[in-house]
Amino acid sequence: MRNQEGKTRLDVLLRAMDEAGHVRFFVADTRNMVEEMRKIHHASFTATAAMGRLLTMMTLLSLSLDNDGDALTVNIKSDGPGGYLVGLSDVPGEARVTAQNPEADLPSRTTDGKLDVGRWVGRDGTLSFVRSYALKEPFSGITPLVSGEIAEDFAQYFYQSEQTASVVSLGVLVAPDATVQQAGGIFLQLMPDCTDEEVGRLETAVGQMPSITKILDEGLSPEELLQRYFADFHPTVTEQHTPHYACHCSREKMHRALLSLDVGSRRTLAEENHGAEVVCDFCRKTYQFSGDALKKPGETW
């Protein structure tokens, strides 16, 4: 994507705080990384919108990773044709996603012509969230899906499971040629000291915002978005990244996963398939292992 000056526009992820310290703003322009995700997974139109929303949210949430070894995992399980969705982030500014059926698609909604993300994901399901910490026990929570539209489901999760009032807006605009035209999101967290008057002002500001994809399509950067729609809060950017789609799979990790199988399964793979082929769910990279590689040190069959 190029901006109005014809230059390539980089993805942007930022965190900001209002003047009073009562509202945290997380804003992202993720067009490039969602387009990369689409290509990796050969995602359909509707899958691109759904998976792109989850990828954007994982990118926004990556700013909450405070220590090396911290990680976030989100699982969405429902009854839609897309099957399960999984999002991961373990480095600020990095995220990755996968889906059970990324090539599945649906007709657009007859009411407004938009991609039917809610039906693709499904509404009869759950959103589970695990925060893993390097220095303490993990935290996990689970809530029923509200709509399958993902943004509303995350807002409900934070309110019910973490008792945090929040605003979540996620969007992916897919062009007629299936490429990603715009993608991004905004995530607002209200601190416990936030007053009723501030909540009212925030609701007014959010109510005046068009969709995140329309804002980005107008050429506004995440920082310009904050200054236009939340100027009354005097937000100050405290952290900024160039986010990207990132997978940390490796041959060593895949080998360890294979060796964790029981001896019977590994022996069957070696004898019937003369080895094993493992494909990473997140980046689709393929790893080949010989039959001998399926034996643990000192193991004989």
Side-chain angles (χ1 to χ4, degrees):
M1 172 62 66
R2 296 183 181 273
N3 60 20
Q4 294 177 346
E5 289 74 35
K7 297 178 181 178
T8 300
R9 191 179 78 196
L10 298 176
D11 288 351
V12 178
L13 170 67
L14 62 80
R15 170 163 49 186
M17 181 68 77
D18 75 311
E19 187 177 41
H22 293 171
V23 184
R24 288 194 295 191
F25 300 86
F26 304 83
V27 191
D29 178 345
T30 57
R31 194 211 72 86
N32 295 304
M33 64 189 301
V34 173
E35 172 64 9
E36 182 178 357
M37 177 276 299
R38 180 192 70 84
K39 292 177 179 177
I40 289 171
H41 292 283
H42 303 287
S44 69
F45 282 82
T46 315
T48 297
M51 296 171 69
R53 291 182 190 183
L54 178 58
L55 178 64
T56 298
M57 192 64 194
M58 299 308 300
T59 305
L60 293 165
L61 291 170
S62 74
L63 290 176
S64 66
L65 297 167
D66 297 322
N67 302 291
D68 291 342
D70 291 357
L72 305 169
T73 304
V74 170
N75 285 275
I76 297 176
K77 297 181 179 180
S78 192
D79 59 347
Y84 62 76
L85 285 87
V86 182
L88 294 176
S89 180
D90 44 24
V91 176
E94 296 184 359
R96 54 197 179 276
V97 297
T98 190
Q100 185 176 2
N101 302 309
E103 297 184 27
D105 208 359
L106 286 173
S108 297
R109 298 189 307 220
T110 57
T111 53
D112 55 13
K114 294 184 178 180
L115 296 173
D116 200 346
V117 171
R119 196 155 67 90
W120 189 90
V121 173
R123 296 174 177 85
D124 185 12
T126 58
L127 185 154
S128 61
F129 197 126
V130 179
R131 297 179 184 267
S132 303
Y133 300 98
L135 304 177
K136 57 183 178 180
E137 291 298 312
F139 170 85
S140 62
I142 184 170
T143 54
L145 292 178
V146 176
S147 65
E149 295 286 339
I150 299 182
E152 296 173 4
D153 302 304
F154 270 102
Q156 179 75 356
Y157 165 80
F158 285 110
Y159 181 74
Q160 284 195 352
S161 188
E162 299 192 9
Q163 290 77 53
T164 303
S166 61
V167 175
V168 183
S169 177
L170 306 168
V172 176
L173 180 60
V174 184
D177 64 357
T179 60
V180 177
Q181 182 172 327
Q182 301 293 346
I186 181 166
F187 174 40
L188 311 181
Q189 279 192 319
L190 281 61
M191 300 295 97
D193 292 336
C194 195
T195 65
D196 291 341
E197 185 270 339
E198 288 171 324
V199 171
R201 286 163 49 209
L202 194 63
E203 289 176 343
T204 298
V206 171
Q208 294 174 343
M209 285 179 56
S211 69
I212 184 69
T213 51
K214 184 174 182 179
I215 292 172
L216 294 172
D217 217 30
E218 291 175 355
L220 266 67
S221 68
E223 188 167 3
E224 290 169 335
L225 178 158
L226 287 178
Q227 298 306 323
R228 175 177 293 188
Y229 295 101
F230 301 97
D232 191 38
F233 288 86
H234 304 287
T236 299
V237 175
T238 59
E239 186 176 353
Q240 183 166 324
H241 298 268
T242 301
H244 57 280
Y245 192 96
C247 183
H248 302 297
C249 70
S250 67
R251 184 174 182 81
E252 291 72 24
K253 289 179 180 178
M254 295 301 182
H255 193 208
R256 287 199 299 270
L258 279 174
L259 293 181
S260 69
L261 298 174
D262 63 83
V263 63
S265 298
R266 288 184 283 114
R267 184 172 181 174
T268 298
L269 285 171
E271 293 178 350
E272 295 184 1
N273 300 329
H274 308 291
E277 178 180 280
V278 182
V279 180
C280 176
D281 288 337
F282 295 95
C283 69
R284 311 309 299 170
K285 186 174 181 179
T286 300
Y287 297 89
Q288 301 282 351
F289 296 91
S290 67
D292 288 339
L294 302 183
K295 295 181 180 180
K296 293 181 178 180
E299 195 172 52
T300 59
W301 294 339

